[in-house]
C-alpha cells in the first residue's frame, strides 16, 4: 500500500482527536446542520484553489464525507476513518494538500462548537421512579387507542384481553415444538406470527375451507423463507389442521 504522507497540521489534528478524551459536539449532530457549519469556509478554500467545475463539486462531496465521519465516529476510530477518507479521495485523483486543508477547516469549525463534556453525577441523588405503564383500557379512555365502531371501552378491552390470552397460549405450545427443531431466539417470532394468523383462521373457517386457507397461509410464509415442514407441523399439532398439498 502506498504510504499516505500527511502534513504536520493534519497529524496534529489526528493527535488531538486521539488524545483529547472528549467527543466533539458535532458527534451525533444532524448532517444538514453540521454541513451548514462548514459550508462557507470550505467553499472559500475550494474557490481560492482555482478548482473549476465540475471538479469543485467533487471536493464538496469529499467535504460531505468528512462531515459524516465527524458525526458518526469519535476518538481513535474517528482518526482512523479520517485517514481512510483522505486516502480514498487521493486515490480518486484529488489534490492531497487541498484535501487536508478542507479537513482542517472542518475540524477547526467543529472545535469552535465545543466538546460534549461528561455530565457530573449529583451526590445522593435518587433514581427517578419508573413510570407505570398505561393499561389498554386507560389508553382507550384517554383517546390514545381508537374504539371500533359501536364498541364500548369495556367490550373492546375484554376482546383485547381475550386475544392476549390466546396469543400467550399459542406461544406456550409453540416454543417447545420449535425448540425440537433447533429454532430459538429471533427465529421464534416469524413462526409465532404464522401461528397467530392460523389461529384466527381456525376460529373463522372449518373443514375444507379451513384447509384451503391454511394451505394458502403456508405458501405465503414459505415464500418468506420459513420451513414448509415446520409450518405444516404447527398446523397439525397446534390446530389439528392437515394442510392440503
Amino acid at each position: 500500500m502506498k504510504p499516505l504522507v500527511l502534513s504536520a497540521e493534519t497529524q496534529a489534528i489526528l493527535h488531538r482527536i486521539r488524545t483529547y478524551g472528549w467527543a466533539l459536539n458535532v458527534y451525533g449532530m444532524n448532517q444538514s446542520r453540521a454541513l451548514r457549519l462548514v459550508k462557507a469556509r470550505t467553499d472559500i478554500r475550494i474557490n481560492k484553489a482555482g478548482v473549476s467545475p465540475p471538479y469543485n463539486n467533487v471536493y464538496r462531496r469529499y467535504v460531505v464525507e468528512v462531515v459524516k465521519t465527524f458525526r458518526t465516529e469519535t476518538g481513535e476510530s474517528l482518526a482512523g476513518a479520517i485517514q481512510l477518507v483522505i486516502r480514498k479521495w487521493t486515490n480518486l485523483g484529488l489534490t492531497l494538500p487541498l484535501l487536508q486543508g478542507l479537513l482542517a477547516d472542518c475540524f477547526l469549525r467543529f472545535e469552535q462548537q465545543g466538546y460534549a463534556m461528561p455530565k457530573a453525577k449529583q451526590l445522593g441523588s435518587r433514581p427517578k421512579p419508573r413510570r407505570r405503564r398505561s393499561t389498554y383500557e386507560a389508553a382507550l379512555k384517554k383517546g390514545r387507542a381508537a374504539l371500533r365502531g359501536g364498541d364500548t371501552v369495556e367490550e373492546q378491552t375484554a376482546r383485547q384481553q381475550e386475544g392476549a390470552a390466546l396469543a400467550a397460549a399459542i406461544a406456550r405450545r409453540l416454543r417447545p415444538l420449535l425448540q425440537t427443531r433447533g429454532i430459538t431466539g429471533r427465529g421464534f417470532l416469524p413462526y409465532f406470527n404464522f401461528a397467530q394468523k392460523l389461529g384466527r383462521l381456525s376460529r373463522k373457517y372449518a373443514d375444507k375451507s379451513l384447509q384451503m386457507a391454511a394451505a394458502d397461509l403456508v405458501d405465503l410464509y414459505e415464500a418468506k423463507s420459513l420451513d414448509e415442514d415446520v409450518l405444516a407441523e404447527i398446523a397439525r399439532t397446534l390446530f389439528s389442521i392437515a394442510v392440503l398439498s
Side-chain angles (χ1 to χ4, degrees), residues 128-221:
K128 293 182 179 180
R130 292 184 178 181
R131 294 180 61 183
R132 296 182 62 185
R133 294 181 63 183
S134 176
T135 64
Y136 183 71
E137 182 177 7
L140 288 173
K141 290 178 178 179
K142 292 178 181 179
R144 295 175 182 171
L147 272 174
R148 296 174 183 174
D151 283 355
T152 64
V153 169
E154 291 74 18
E155 289 170 341
Q156 189 160 320
T157 300
R159 269 198 294 273
Q160 188 272 339
Q161 292 174 345
E162 181 182 357
L166 288 171
I170 289 173
R172 283 195 300 270
R173 297 177 63 196
L174 179 62
R175 189 167 280 106
L177 185 154
L178 294 180
Q179 287 175 344
T180 61
R181 297 277 191 148
I183 302 171
T184 58
R186 293 182 179 179
F188 172 83
L189 186 58
Y191 287 100
F192 175 64
N193 291 338
F194 165 80
Q196 277 197 296
K197 290 183 180 179
L198 191 56
R200 286 194 288 269
L201 290 177
S202 68
R203 295 190 292 273
K204 186 176 181 180
Y205 300 106
D207 303 328
K208 192 67 173 287
S209 297
L210 177 57
Q211 287 182 298
M212 294 174 62
D216 289 341
L217 191 64
V218 168
D219 289 343
L220 174 63
Y221 274 81

Side-chain angles (χ1 to χ4, degrees), residues 2 4 51 55-56 58-59 61-62 85-99:
K2 185 178 179 181
L4 185 65
V51 180
Y55 298 105
N56 51 5
V58 180
Y59 282 96
R61 289 204 297 271
Y62 161 77
V85 172
I86 294 174
R87 181 180 294 279
K88 167 188 168 181
W89 289 92
T90 301
N91 292 341
L92 291 174
L94 274 64
T95 305
L96 181 57
L98 180 52
L99 295 178

Side-chain angles (χ1 to χ4, degrees), residues 3-52:
L4 185 65
V5 182
L6 300 176
S7 67
E9 182 181 22
T10 299
Q11 292 182 38
I13 290 171
L14 296 177
H15 177 74
R16 184 165 179 79
I17 289 171
R18 288 188 175 104
T19 60
Y20 195 70
W22 292 344
L24 288 159
N25 275 331
V26 73
Y27 179 63
M29 186 182 291
N30 176 274
Q31 174 77 358
S32 60
R33 180 185 172 193
L35 273 174
R36 285 197 297 270
L37 292 175
V38 302
K39 180 174 174 25
R41 187 173 296 185
T42 54
D43 279 354
I44 289 172
R45 184 179 292 270
I46 291 171
N47 293 332
K48 283 186 175 180
V51 180
S52 59

Side-chain angles (χ1 to χ4, degrees), residues 60-94:
R60 290 190 180 101
R61 289 204 297 271
Y62 161 77
V63 171
V64 169
E65 189 167 350
V66 169
V67 169
K68 181 181 178 182
T69 304
F70 275 100
R71 288 178 47 251
T72 56
E73 305 288 349
T74 188
E76 182 63 43
S77 62
L78 173 57
I82 287 172
Q83 292 180 81
L84 289 176
V85 172
I86 294 174
R87 181 180 294 279
K88 167 188 168 181
W89 289 92
T90 301
N91 292 341
L92 291 174
L94 274 64

